[in-house]
Amino acid sequence: MSVWPEELGRSAPSHLRGARSGGLYGMAIALGVASVIGGTLLYAHVHLAVNAQEWPPQELEGPATSTVAFAALVAALAAAATMAAYRFVHADERDRAHVFASLLAAALLGAIALGLLVVSMAPLRGEADQHAYAASMVVLGGFVALLLALGVMGALVVAAWVVVGHEGSPPSDSSRNLRALQTYTAVATLALLAVTAFGGGS
Amino acid sequence: MTTEAVETADLPPEDRHDPVERRAALHGWDPELTRVWSAPPGLVGWLSAVNHKDIGRRFIWTSLAFLFLGGLQALVIRTQLAVPENDLVSAELYNQLFTMHGTTMMFLFVVPCLEGLAMFFAPLMIGARDMPFPRLNAFGYWAFLAGGLFVYASFFTGEVPDGGWFAYVPLTDTEFSPGRNMDFWLLGVTLVEVAGIVGALEIVVLVLKHKVPGMALHRMPLFVWSVLVMAAMMLVAFPVLLTASLLLELQRKLNLPFYDPSAGGDPLLWQHLFWIFGHPEVYIQFIPAAGIVSTVIPAFARRPIVGYRLVVAALVATGVASFGLWVHHMFATGIPFLALTFFTAASLLIAIPSGIQVFAWLATLWQGVVRWSTALWFVIGFVIIFVLGGITGVMVAVVPFNWQVHDSFFVVAHFHYVLIGGVVFPIFAGLHYWMPKLNGHLLDERIGRTTFWLMFVGFNVGFFPQHVLGFEGMPRRVYTYTEGDGWDLWNMVSSVGAFVLGLGFALFLVNVWVSRRRGELAGDDPWDAPTLEWSTTSPPAPYNFRVQPQVRDVSPRWHPADPEEDPELAAVLEELAEPYEGRRETVGTTTLDGQPNEVVLIATSSIWPFVVAIALVVALAAALYDLVVLGLVGLAVIVVGVVAWLWPGPARTEVP
Amino acid sequence: MAEPAGAGERRRVARRRWLRLAPFASTLLAGCGGALAPTGREAGAAATIWWVMFAIAAVVFLAVVAILVVAVRSRRDERAGPRTEGSSRAEEPAGPVRGVGEVEAKGPRAAGVPMVLVGGVVLPSVVLAFLLGVTIWSGDDMRREGIDGALPIEVVGQQYWWDVRYPDHDVRTANEIHLPVGREVVLELRSDDVIHSIWIPELAGKLDLVPGTVNRMTLRADEVGTYRGRCAEFCGLQHARMRLDVVVHEPADFDAWAEEASAPRGTPTDEALFRGWETFMSSSCVYCHAIEGTPASSEFGPDLTNLADRARLAAGVVPNNRGHLAGWILDPQRIKPGNHMPATWMEPQRLNELLDYLETLGT
C-alpha cells in the first residue's frame, strides 16, 4: 500500500513531499551513538566501583546532589521549551514570534542547567587526579555538559533560521531533531542524578 | 538507461567546450542530470565534492595507499626477523613498526576500504542516487585522511607510536611512554573512528530509506545486508573505543587515573573496553567481506545464492553475538574460571553462523555452473585460507590451549589467516570484479591470476610456519631472538613467503596501471551479473540511474520488474529523471517493504565538510601540543563550519 | 573384479610415499621442544587437547576442500572471462543461451539448503559441544589458585627482569626459577610496573603479571631438566630479551640448592677478593643490587647472591661467563638497549677484582 502524497506535483513545497524521516533517523542514530558513549562511561564507573575496596574513597566528597537535581529539573524545562517550539511550528508555520521565543527560552534554560552542572562538580575539581572516582564523576558530568552545550547551540542556530526565514521551508525538521536532542539530554541529566545520588554524592 | 554516447564533434557548437557536456557525451549520460549531480570545477570543486562515488573512490584508493605503507612495515619486520640477532632495526624502531603495521592495517586500510566499497556500491545496488547525508559522507573522508596523516605525521617528529596496536596500559601511560608517541596514536585513531561512525550512520539510513520501489528487505542484495550489519556494529563498537581512548588521553594529559591501580583505577579496564570494541571490530571487517563473497559467487556460479534467508540470519547472528566474546582476548589475565567457560562457549558458538555462510557458498557453487575469473579465484583462495583460520580460531577459544598459544606466533598466524584470507582476499575479489565501475576498465585476467597465485602461495608460505613457531615458544612483538632458540628455519621461510605475498600486492598495482593505459572501456555489464550496479555505465553517471528501476526479485537483472505493472509509479519515476530547480532527488521508500512514500532531497556539494575536518585536526593537534588557545580557535571554527554546513540553502532545505 | 595391473601398482606406490611423509610431518610440528614436548602437568593436558583438535581439524579442513573442489569442477561454463564491448560475445544471439543469466540448479534442488544446515549447523554444533566439554573437563586438571602443600614462589615482573622469591626458604634470586620435580608449586605473580606474562611452554600455559593484582597458578614439573621461560606480554623496549631459566631438580637437589642460595655471603678474607668486594660496596652497584650477608641490601634490582650459579645473564639473554659479565657491567645498554641498568666505567684492574669477587657468589 503506497502512501504516495497526492500533491506530488513538482511545484509542491518540499515539506509536503512525503515522510521526510531521514533527518530524524540520523538524529536517532546519533543519539544512539551518544548512548554508547555514555554507556561506556557508566560501564567504566561500575567496573571500577565493583573492583575497588572503597568506593567512593573516604576522603573524597562527591558532587552536590541537590545541585545536580536542580540541573536535571532545568534541563527538563529546556526540553519542554523545545517541545513547545515544535508545536508552534506545526500549528502555524508563519507564527515566527512564538517559535523564536520558545527556542530562546530553551537556550537560556539549557545554559542555566549547564552552569548548575559545572557548579555541582566543584567539590571534585581538585580531586580528579587523585582518585578514579572523582575522575569518573567529572567525566560523566562532562558528558552531560556536552549534551547541554549542544542543545544550547542548536536552539540558538534554529532560532536564527526562524528569524532569517526561508520561503517554503519552515524549520520543522530541525526543531523536531532539536526536540529529540533536548529530551535525550534531560534524560541523561536524570541518569547523572541517579549515579550521583546512589554513588556517593554529597 | 543511458543515452547514446556521442562524439564531441557531434555536439551542438555551444556545448563543445563545456566540460560537463563533454563528459556526459563521452559516456552517454543525460547532460542535465549530470550537471545537477556533478561537483563544481576546479580545486574548490574537488574539495567540495559530496557524491558517494567520488567519496567512495577516495576511501578505496587512500586505504590502498595505507595498505602499501603497512605492507612495507611488515616487510621490514619480516626482514628483521629472518635471522637471529639481526640488527637491521633497533628495538625502538621495531616496536614502532609493528605498532604502525597493526594500526595501519586495522584502522587505516581494512575498515576504510570496506566502507569505501559500501559507500560506492550499496547505493547502486539498491537503485539509489546517493547517500542520505552526502556532506557528512564527505566529512567522513576528510576526517579519515586527516586522522591517517595525523598518525603518520609522527614519523616526521620522530615520535612514532610504539605501544602496540592495542596500546595496553600501564605501558602506554606517561610513566612508561613519555613523549608524544601514544598521544599521536590516541588522537589520530579518534579522528579515524569519527570517520567510521559517520559513514556507518549514513549506511544505516541509506538502507532504511533509499531502496528503490519493490526492494523489500528480503530482496536486498546480500552485500547490502552485510554492510548494514557492519554499520550497525560500528555504531556500537566504535564509540566504545572512542571513549576508552579519550579516558586514556585524559589520564596521560591530566592524570585522571582511570587505569592506574594506585589511585582507584584498573589496567584491566582498558583491556575490557578495548576488546569490547576490538572483537566486534574483526567481525566488522569479516562481515562485509563475506558480503562481497556472496556477491561474487552468484555472478560466477550463474545462479542466486542458496539459502538467502539463512545467510541473512547468519550475518545478523554473527553481528550480535560478536559483542559477547571479548574476554577471550584476556584469558591469560587471571579471570575466574566460570567467566572463562562462558566466553569459551560464546566464542565457539559464533563459528556456527560462519559455517552456515561457508556451506551456503559451497552449495551455490555446487548447484551452479562455474565461470572462471580472477575474482572467483580470490574467492576460492578465501574459502581455503579462511576455513583454516576459522579452525585455528576455534582451537584458540579452548582455554587450556589458549594459555599456551596466546601472545605467541600461533595466534599471529591465526589472525593473519582470518584477516588476510577472510578479508583481504575478498576485498581483492571485489576489486577485480567491480573495477569497471570504479574506473571504467577491466583488470587484465592473466595478470590477475598471477596476482592471485603469488598472494596465495606467498601467504601460506609466509604464515603457516608461524603456527609452528608459536608451539616452539616464540612470543609475539619481539624484535629479535637468539640462535639458541631454534626458531631460525621457520622465521626465514616465513620471511621469504612474506616477500612473495608483497610481490603479489605489487602486481595488483601494475594491473591497475596497465588496464588504465590500455584505455579500453569495459561496457556496462561485462559479467552478466544479477545486481543493479551493472545497470549503469562503467563508470556510473554521477546520478547513477536516469530512471530509477523498480525491483521484484533478489536478482533484479536476471528477473527484471515490468515497469508497466504500476504505471502511476512508473510515471513518477520518469518525472524524477528531469531535475527540478536544480535539486538532487532520489525516491524514498519504506524500510520493510520498499513502498515508495517520499521524494528525498539530497544535499549538494559544499566546502564546509572539508573545513570542519581541517578545524578538527587543528583542534586535536592543539591538544597534542597543549596549545589551549589554538584548541579553542579550532573548536570555534568547527562550530561555525557546522552551522554553515547545515544552513538551509536554495538547492536543499535543512538536510544535513 | 580384477583391476588393471598399472592402476593397483600406482596406488600402492602412492600410499608408500604418503606413509613416508607422516613422521616428517609430526617432527615438523613437534619442533625443537616447546608446547608440544611437554614435561609439566598443565602443558601435557594442553598438548593432548591440541592433538585431539588437530585430528578433528584435519578432517574438517580436508572435507571442506574436497567439497570445494567437487563443486567447482562438476560443470563448467566454457565461456570464461568477461564480455567487453567489441568482443565476439557481444555478437552472440539474444534469447536463452546456456550460461546467460541464471542457470538451472544442477543436482537435486533440495540438496542446497539441507547441505547448508547439515554442514553449517549440525556438524559444527556437535564438534563445538565436544570442545566445550573438553574445556570444562580439563578445568579440573588445570591451574588452580592454590593447593595444600604446594611450594609458594613469588614472582614480581619488572622491566626487563624477574624478581623471584621463595618465602618458605628465605631465598631471593632473579631471572631463574628452581623447582622440585613432581611437586605442586604455586606461583604468585605481581608486577611493579607494566603488564608482563610468564610463559614456560614445556611446563604450562601462561599467566599475566598485572600491576595492582596478584595472580596465582599452580604448576607441576614432571621431568628433571632445564627449560627456558620468556615474557609473553609486550612490556616495552626489551620485551624480547626478558627471559628466564627454569631448572627442575630432584627433591634432594632442590633442597640443597635452596640452602645454598639462601646462605649469607661473608666478607672475603683473601686480599684480592676483598678488594673486589670493596669495589662492589663502594660503587653504584649497591643502589640496586643486594647480596645476602653483605651491606648491599637494595631490592630495586636483581638479587646477586647466587649470581655465579646462573646459566645466563641479563634475564636469560647472554651466557654467564667472565667476558659477558664484564661487558654487562661496563655497558648494559649495548646488550639490552633501553634496560634500566646504567653503564659503570671502571679501570681494568678494578674490574678484574670485581669479577673475581662476583665469581665467588655461588657454589
Side-chain angles (χ1 to χ4, degrees):
Chain A
M1 192 193 75
S2 172
V3 293
W4 201 248
E6 277 172 15
E7 312 109 325
L8 193 75
R10 300 311 291 285
S11 53
S14 56
H15 70 285
L16 289 180
R17 286 164 156 255
R20 305 218 60 193
S21 47
L24 190 59
Y25 283 28
M27 179 53 109
I29 294 176
L31 292 178
V33 170
S35 304
V36 177
I37 295 176
T40 307
L41 292 173
L42 272 176
Y43 175 98
H45 192 89
V46 171
H47 174 100
L48 292 177
V50 163
N51 283 314
Q53 266 126 352
E54 199 185 27
W55 186 277
Q58 288 281 10
E59 64 275 15
L60 284 190
E61 246 186 275
T65 312
S66 45
T67 320
V68 177
F70 269 123
L73 181 64
V74 175
L77 289 174
T82 326
M83 287 184 213
Y86 181 63
R87 278 257 184 79
F88 286 131
V89 161
H90 269 264
D92 176 358
E93 65 181 67
R94 280 178 293 276
D95 182 9
R96 295 200 193 153
H98 276 127
V99 177
F100 183 73
S102 14
L103 286 172
L104 269 191
L108 189 62
L109 289 165
I112 294 174
L114 180 56
L116 284 169
L117 189 58
V118 170
V119 163
S120 77
M121 291 288 154
L124 290 170
R125 228 173 291 140
E127 309 290 335
D129 57 354
Q130 299 301 315
H131 195 275
Y133 168 79
S136 186
M137 289 305 308
V138 165
V139 164
L140 283 166
F143 172 71
V144 177
L146 181 62
L147 288 171
L148 285 167
L150 286 172
V152 169
M153 285 193 279
L156 289 173
V157 168
V158 178
W161 289 346
V162 171
V163 166
V164 170
H166 283 276
E167 201 57 60
S169 60
S172 61
D173 269 9
S174 15
S175 52
R176 182 184 54 187
N177 293 346
L178 188 66
R179 180 183 66 166
L181 172 62
Q182 297 274 29
T183 315
Y184 182 85
T185 305
V187 171
T189 321
L190 270 177
L192 180 65
L193 177 61
V195 174
T196 310
F198 295 112
S202 52
Chain B
M1 290 297 164
T2 61
T3 59
E4 278 294 309
V6 164
E7 289 295 328
T8 313
D10 298 328
L11 287 171
E14 65 269 18
D15 289 337
R16 259 175 234 163
H17 294 290
D18 182 341
V20 172
E21 289 283 343
R22 288 174 58 179
R23 220 170 126 234
L26 174 67
H27 293 280
W29 297 340
D30 179 304
E32 230 195 298
L33 276 170
T34 306
R35 190 179 305 281
V36 167
W37 286 86
S38 295
L43 175 65
V44 172
W46 188 83
L47 293 173
S48 314
V50 298
N51 185 275
H52 75 101
K53 294 180 294 299
D54 294 325
I55 305 300
R57 250 184 229 113
R58 290 175 194 180
F59 262 103
I60 294 169
W61 293 118
T62 308
S63 71
L64 288 178
F66 280 118
L67 167 66
F68 278 88
L69 284 174
L72 283 173
Q73 290 150 5
L75 290 179
V76 176
I77 290 173
R78 278 317 322 168
T79 312
Q80 164 71 7
L81 289 180
V83 295
E85 301 287 359
N86 202 352
D87 57 0
L88 177 72
V89 295
S90 64
E92 187 185 344
L93 180 56
Y94 184 90
N95 295 345
Q96 294 173 344
L97 283 174
F98 77 69
T99 302
M100 290 304 290
H101 169 75
T103 303
T104 304
M105 294 307 195
M106 296 298 278
F107 291 112
L108 301 177
F109 160 55
V110 177
V111 175
C113 188
L114 290 167
E115 247 192 323
L117 287 168
M119 255 172 226
F120 195 104
F121 289 103
L124 287 169
M125 281 178 157
I126 63 175
R129 288 219 175 111
D130 207 331
M131 304 286 269
F133 313 121
R135 296 181 182 186
L136 194 61
N137 214 12
F139 168 76
Y141 173 71
W142 296 119
F144 156 60
L145 179 65
L149 292 177
F150 191 95
V151 180
Y152 270 82
S154 63
F155 277 103
F156 293 104
T157 69
E159 295 163 303
V160 182
D162 57 356
W165 92 274
F166 39 84
Y168 277 1
V169 293
L171 180 62
T172 50
D173 191 9
T174 31
E175 188 183 345
F176 302 102
S177 291
R180 296 200 184 87
N181 316 44
M182 289 318 296
D183 300 298
F184 269 104
W185 189 88
L186 288 164
L187 295 170
V189 166
T190 294
L191 200 44
V192 177
E193 298 277 296
V194 168
I197 291 172
V198 302
L201 188 156
E202 290 233 49
I203 290 170
V204 173
V205 181
L206 172 83
V207 173
L208 294 183
K209 282 217 62 61
H210 285 209
K211 306 187 294 297
V212 281
M215 188 176 281
L217 280 181
H218 62 267
R219 291 193 195 125
M220 221 164 59
L222 284 171
F223 178 69
V224 182
W225 268 111
S226 72
V227 302
L228 175 66
V229 172
M230 170 193 84
M233 292 170 71
M234 283 170 76
L235 291 171
V236 180
F238 278 33
V240 174
L241 181 63
L242 200 66
T243 313
S245 315
L246 176 74
L247 296 184
L248 182 55
E249 188 63 12
L250 286 174
Q251 177 165 324
R252 285 177 60 86
K253 289 283 181 188
L254 302 175
N255 291 314
L256 301 192
F258 299 100
Y259 307 114
D260 181 353
S262 68
D266 182 8
L268 290 184
L269 174 64
W270 168 264
Q271 292 194 25
H272 280 291
L273 291 179
F274 186 87
W275 291 116
I276 289 175
F277 150 79
H279 191 79
E281 159 83 341
V282 304
Y283 285 96
I284 284 168
Q285 298 171 342
F286 171 66
I287 283 174
I292 296 177
V293 174
S294 295
T295 306
V296 169
I297 285 188
F300 295 101
R302 322 297 301 131
R303 56 152 295 123
I305 202 101
V306 167
Y308 173 93
R309 282 169 204 251
L310 277 175
V311 174
V312 171
L315 287 169
V316 173
T318 308
V320 171
S322 69
F323 282 90
L325 312 186
W326 80 91
V327 176
H328 72 218
H329 298 269
M330 299 166 62
F331 277 163
T333 58
I335 308 266
F337 194 72
L338 199 59
L340 296 176
T341 316
F342 171 79
F343 282 98
T344 298
S347 307
L348 293 174
L349 266 177
I350 205 161
I352 291 180
S354 299
I356 289 176
Q357 290 190 75
V358 170
F359 275 88
W361 295 322
L362 292 175
T364 310
L365 286 169
W366 188 303
Q367 294 212 326
V369 173
V370 169
R371 177 192 279 174
W372 285 100
S373 76
T374 306
L376 189 63
W377 275 111
F378 272 101
V379 164
I380 303 298
F382 148 80
V383 172
I384 296 176
I385 299 177
F386 174 70
V387 167
L388 233 168
I391 286 174
T392 55
V394 164
M395 293 176 173
V396 168
V398 174
V399 171
F401 183 70
N402 182 285
W403 283 337
Q404 281 284 29
V405 298
H406 168 69
D407 261 336
S408 77
F409 262 82
F410 186 95
V411 86
V412 172
H414 156 68
F415 65 68
H416 281 94
Y417 264 79
V418 284
L419 282 176
I420 297 186
V423 182
V424 175
F425 270 63
I427 287 178
F428 275 74
L431 288 173
H432 283 86
Y433 175 64
W434 275 321
M435 193 57 73
K437 295 299 164 191
L438 289 173
N439 69 5
H441 303 279
L442 278 163
L443 289 173
D444 184 278
E445 281 292 310
R446 275 198 6 223
I447 301 180
R449 265 200 312 282
T450 316
T451 307
F452 165 74
W453 281 109
L454 280 174
M455 284 175 67
F456 185 79
V457 171
F459 171 80
N460 280 294
V461 171
F463 286 93
F464 194 83
Q466 293 184 1
H467 294 105
V468 181
L469 285 172
F471 282 128
E472 291 182 350
M474 184 171 179
R476 55 187 291 200
R477 303 171 150 187
V478 290
Y479 76 98
T480 190
Y481 52 96
T482 64
E483 279 206 31
D485 287 320
W487 301 334
D488 309 19
L489 172 65
W490 294 122
N491 267 300
M492 175 57 81
V493 171
S494 174
S495 297
V496 168
F499 272 88
V500 174
L501 175 62
L503 204 58
F505 281 115
L507 195 58
F508 170 76
L509 281 186
V510 169
N511 199 348
V512 176
W513 183 78
V514 157
S515 63
R516 289 200 78 139
R517 284 216 58 192
R518 211 179 270 158
E520 184 190 322
L521 284 178
D524 291 3
D525 184 12
W527 310 114
D528 188 22
T531 43
L532 286 176
E533 74 271 30
W534 303 102
S535 294
T536 62
T537 58
S538 294
Y543 52 86
N544 296 345
F545 306 90
R546 201 182 75 81
V547 177
Q548 290 180 277
Q550 294 181 47
V551 162
R552 290 286 172 271
D553 186 87
V554 76
S555 307
R557 282 183 58 79
W558 288 344
H559 302 279
D562 178 10
E564 294 316 309
E565 262 182 48
D566 188 345
E568 204 180 283
L569 177 56
V572 172
L573 292 173
E574 273 292 339
E575 224 185 306
L576 284 178
E578 309 283 323
Y580 176 68
E581 286 184 4
R583 289 181 172 162
R584 296 187 179 184
E585 299 165 320
T586 187
V587 66
T589 59
T590 59
T591 302
L592 288 177
D593 291 323
Q595 293 296 320
N597 67 349
E598 177 176 348
V599 171
V600 179
L601 284 177
I602 304 282
T604 53
S605 310
S606 165
I607 192 76
W608 291 107
F610 174 73
V611 170
V612 171
I614 297 296
L616 193 49
V617 165
V618 167
L620 289 178
L624 183 65
Y625 288 100
D626 305 307
L627 302 168
V628 179
V629 173
L630 185 62
L632 290 173
V633 167
L635 279 176
V637 175
I638 291 172
V639 172
V640 168
V642 170
V643 175
W645 161 350
L646 292 173
W647 201 267
R652 70 110 169 101
T653 62
E654 301 172 44
V655 180
Chain C
M1 194 175 96
E3 291 176 300
E9 185 59 40
R10 268 185 300 228
R11 253 196 290 280
R12 251 170 284 141
V13 168
R15 215 177 302 139
R16 254 183 267 142
R17 234 179 262 138
W18 281 113
L19 284 173
R20 249 179 275 149
L21 279 177
F24 178 62
S26 60
T27 323
L28 274 180
L29 279 169
C32 318
L36 293 184
T39 60
R41 171 175 52 76
E42 189 175 300
T48 309
I49 292 172
W50 154 253
W51 288 116
V52 170
M53 295 196 299
F54 175 71
I56 299 173
V59 168
V60 169
F61 180 67
L62 291 173
V64 169
V65 172
I67 295 174
L68 183 64
V69 167
V70 170
V72 300
R73 296 196 73 135
S74 47
R75 188 164 62 150
R76 265 199 282 187
D77 181 351
E78 289 99 33
R79 301 182 311 161
R83 286 201 310 245
T84 55
E85 284 178 357
S87 80
S88 58
R89 287 186 204 108
E91 293 150 46
E92 273 160 346
V97 175
R98 190 176 70 87
V100 170
E102 183 179 351
V103 297
E104 279 297 312
K106 62 184 194 274
R109 198 163 213 130
V113 168
M115 177 181 176
V116 173
L117 287 174
V118 168
V121 180
V122 174
L123 291 178
S125 301
V126 169
V127 171
L128 298 172
F130 171 70
L131 289 177
L132 182 62
V134 164
T135 308
I136 298 174
W137 161 82
S138 69
D140 248 6
D141 210 18
M142 284 299 146
R143 60 184 65 168
R144 290 174 223 168
E145 291 263 309
I147 292 180
D148 284 336
L151 170 70
I153 304 178
E154 296 170 6
V155 180
V156 181
Q158 311 268 2
Q159 281 180 324
Y160 307 96
W161 59 281
W162 307 88
D163 185 358
V164 183
R165 293 166 206 252
Y166 291 74
D168 283 359
H169 296 86
D170 200 28
V171 170
R172 181 171 177 252
T173 181
N175 303 321
E176 56 173 3
I177 295 179
H178 291 252
L179 302 172
V181 72
R183 185 170 162 200
E184 289 284 349
V185 149
V186 59
L187 295 178
E188 266 195 28
L189 306 171
R190 286 185 187 79
S191 169
D192 272 353
D193 43 30
V194 299
I195 300 180
H196 302 273
S197 191
I198 185 167
W199 186 29
I200 312 148
E202 287 89 348
L203 298 183
K206 60 185 65 70
L207 185 55
D208 287 355
L209 291 77
V210 181
T213 332
V214 179
N215 279 340
R216 291 185 183 81
M217 65 178 276
T218 55
L219 182 65
R220 192 186 75 215
D222 290 332
E223 271 180 46
V224 168
T226 47
Y227 309 99
R228 301 191 68 185
R230 69 233 51 207
C231 176
E233 183 60 63
F234 178 62
C235 55
L237 272 172
Q238 288 298 331
H239 164 66
R241 296 201 193 274
M242 185 172 161
R243 309 288 190 92
L244 76 161
D245 292 303
V246 181
V247 184
V248 182
H249 303 269
E250 295 290 351
D253 294 332
F254 172 78
D255 291 330
W257 169 82
E259 232 189 278
E260 168 58 37
S262 60
R265 313 286 177 223
T267 314
T269 45
D270 175 86
E271 222 188 292
L273 289 177
F274 179 78
R275 282 201 295 279
W277 179 95
E278 210 176 28
T279 305
F280 187 97
M281 300 303 155
S282 58
S283 308
S284 53
C285 315
V286 299
Y287 294 150
C288 303
H289 294 289
I291 301 176
E292 181 81 19
T294 72
S297 58
S298 164
E299 299 201 332
F300 190 72
D303 189 292
L304 300 181
T305 308
N306 60 349
L307 175 66
D309 284 338
R310 291 185 201 154
R312 271 174 270 257
L313 294 175
V317 173
V318 293
N320 185 358
N321 55 40
R322 198 178 174 88
H324 279 117
L325 186 53
W328 178 250
I329 293 171
L330 289 174
D331 191 1
Q333 299 299 318
R334 277 203 77 198
I335 295 177
K336 231 167 134 167
N339 90 89
H340 298 308
M341 176 162 159
T344 314
W345 184 85
M346 57 182 71
E347 326 159 325
Q349 168 75 357
R350 289 186 75 206
L351 179 61
N352 273 309
E353 288 163 353
L354 176 60
L355 290 171
D356 287 334
Y357 167 64
L358 291 175
E359 283 172 354
T360 67
L361 295 176
T363 44

